[in-house]
Amino acid sequence: MPFIRKTAEPYWNPYISGIGLGLVLLFTFLVMGRGIGASGAMTSVVATTANVISPQHAQANEFFRGYLGDGTVSPLKDWLVFEVIGVLIGGFLSGIFAGRTSIKIEKGTGISTNRRFQYAFIGGMIMAFGTKLARGCTSGQALTGGALMNVGSWLFMISLFAGAYAMAWFVRRLWI
Amino acid sequence: MNGPFFINGWIGEEASLIFALFIGIAFGFFLERAGLGSAKKLASQFYGRDMTVFKMMFTAIITAMVGLFWFDYFGWLQLELVYLTPTFVAPQIIGGLVFGVGFIIGGYCPGTSCVAGATGSLDGWVNVIGMLAGILVFGELYPWLESFYNATPMGELTFVDYFNLPAGLMVFILVMIALGGFWLSEKIETKMANKDL
């Protein structure tokens, strides 16, 4: 494909990108009366999968039941699921236009690929657990709730930066 | 015609899903543009070398916050109809700390792991699979976690209600804090650029 560049373009200025993201968020509030999200879509996927494997088990669980609805429509026909499909498309396209979409593994120079995969998996598990406990992630809580001046969202945001800074020193060999 | 359009019945259920798709595309696009699909760039935030995460996040927050204030002021948007996640102090603080630890170990947050995966990072997909596993574990443990999950409730609560300040003043204070944060971020980046860790 001729429009794929050989060398990656530099990233945009973070403040410019931030204004762009902020306007997307503002538009979402105006149109939908809610903000953006990410982890909620993943929860819908997990609840749906659990429901396919064992409907009895999934529906006995109050947490999953909240994501399954009344059974008249698929739990995947959900606003956040469609939004996250969009995120995948938007990220892919932006990467293509800038010559940054390619098969790769992001890691520091000091660790093996296997190690990186193990940490990516474990980190994902821990992060998802925190997300569910806090009722949202960096999108649904920090960005959305941040803009709404939501007290709980700001507590979550400050805590997540504190947690990551506190842990950073111990895992510096993963990245540096 | 005032917002939120969906809640006020101006757009229907099916149309809202089309909006969801395009909002997602724009969201993913801007995340990737700024480099937030890269685990190394995200992690650099916590070593002071590249504060893009903070800068982009807080620029987005104050942009939307100031916009919401004026939309509400001019009556274009009924702010009281916008969904507000209720505050539960203890689980949100503990959840945030746990989230931060997972973030620096895995290198991504939920939205950015999707962008990473979409741009071909295999570690991004592994992180997504890890998250799905983590959500499953949380769900299975939910009966035991439920009382903590619902502990210390404060309902739908904003800083405007909590500090009992005019909304405009609260927005101004938070914008000033963010600008101070940007100034500090630039200083930290310069200072940490070549420091050995």
Side-chain angles (χ1 to χ4, degrees):
Chain A
M1 284 186 281
F3 59 86
I4 297 180
R5 285 165 223 275
K6 289 261 170 14
T7 51
E9 275 180 26
Y11 295 123
W12 281 4
N13 176 297
Y15 301 112
I16 302 289
S17 316
I19 290 171
L21 181 57
L23 293 176
V24 172
L25 182 56
L26 183 60
F27 177 78
T28 312
F29 284 130
L30 179 66
V31 173
M32 292 303 305
R34 56 161 300 156
I36 51 182
S39 56
M42 295 178 191
T43 314
S44 294
V45 171
V46 172
T48 308
T49 311
N51 195 40
V52 168
I53 294 167
S54 173
Q56 220 176 348
H57 179 75
Q59 273 151 27
N61 181 307
E62 201 189 323
F63 176 74
F64 291 138
R65 205 164 55 223
Y67 284 84
L68 292 171
D70 56 6
T72 53
V73 288
S74 165
L76 294 180
K77 195 183 168 188
D78 172 75
W79 199 87
L80 277 180
V81 172
F82 277 70
E83 188 235 71
V84 168
I85 292 168
V87 170
L88 291 168
I89 298 170
F92 174 76
L93 290 177
S94 171
I96 287 281
F97 296 151
R100 289 191 287 260
T101 294
S102 61
I103 300 295
K104 57 187 170 290
I105 295 149
E106 284 251 356
K107 63 181 189 64
T109 46
I111 66 159
S112 68
T113 299
N114 257 341
R115 261 296 164 78
R116 171 67 186 120
F117 282 159
Q118 287 161 10
Y119 280 107
F121 185 86
I122 299 290
M125 271 188 89
I126 296 171
M127 177 183 59
F129 199 89
T131 288
K132 289 293 104 186
L133 209 51
R135 294 172 164 76
C137 60
T138 20
S139 312
Q141 277 284 31
L143 284 173
T144 299
L148 291 166
M149 300 189 269
N150 188 338
V151 173
S153 305
W154 280 80
L155 290 176
F156 169 74
M157 187 159 36
I158 293 163
S159 307
L160 95 80
F161 273 96
Y165 274 110
M167 190 67 194
W169 174 259
F170 301 103
V171 295
R172 65 191 184 284
R173 294 290 165 248
L174 293 180
W175 306 112
I176 292 170
Chain B
M1 177 165 170
N2 60 2
F5 301 150
F6 178 68
I7 292 171
N8 285 333
W10 291 91
I11 63 165
E13 193 77 44
E14 307 282 326
S16 81
L17 296 179
I18 305 294
F19 274 107
L21 188 69
F22 283 98
I23 286 165
I25 290 174
F27 180 23
F29 181 87
F30 282 115
L31 286 179
E32 204 289 327
R33 284 284 118 174
L36 298 198
S38 160
K40 282 168 85 171
K41 199 166 173 73
L42 290 161
S44 296
Q45 166 73 38
F46 303 103
Y47 300 100
R49 293 184 170 181
D50 184 332
M51 310 288 278
T52 298
V53 174
F54 176 86
K55 291 183 205 168
M56 183 180 189
M57 209 164 136
F58 277 81
T59 308
I61 288 171
I62 59 174
T63 301
M65 186 190 289
V66 171
L68 279 175
F69 175 78
W70 289 113
F71 279 16
D72 183 54
Y73 184 83
F74 291 123
W76 299 341
L77 173 69
Q78 291 168 270
L79 204 49
E80 68 278 8
L81 294 181
V82 173
Y83 177 76
L84 204 62
T85 305
T87 293
F88 291 82
V89 177
Q92 280 160 348
I93 289 176
I94 301 297
L97 291 170
V98 172
F99 184 101
V101 168
F103 188 173
I104 192 66
I105 293 175
Y108 299 107
C109 63
T112 51
S113 69
C114 292
V115 174
T119 52
S121 291
L122 300 178
D123 49 306
W125 288 117
V126 174
N127 192 252
V128 171
I129 295 164
M131 266 189 285
L132 297 174
I135 292 168
L136 182 67
V137 170
F138 181 88
E140 294 299 331
L141 295 178
Y142 185 75
W144 291 276
L145 293 167
E146 195 177 359
S147 64
F148 181 66
Y149 182 75
N150 290 317
T152 55
M154 293 191 77
E156 292 181 12
L157 183 68
T158 69
F159 283 144
V160 175
D161 309 321
Y162 186 76
F163 292 117
N164 200 17
L165 287 173
L169 179 60
M170 197 64 237
V171 170
F172 178 77
I173 292 170
L174 292 173
V175 169
M176 286 299 127
I177 291 172
L179 294 179
F182 298 150
W183 177 81
L184 199 64
S185 297
E186 302 294 340
K187 287 249 162 202
I188 292 171
E189 276 179 357
T190 318
K191 192 165 175 239
M192 295 298 283
N194 296 309
K195 207 174 164 192
D196 279 331
L197 286 170

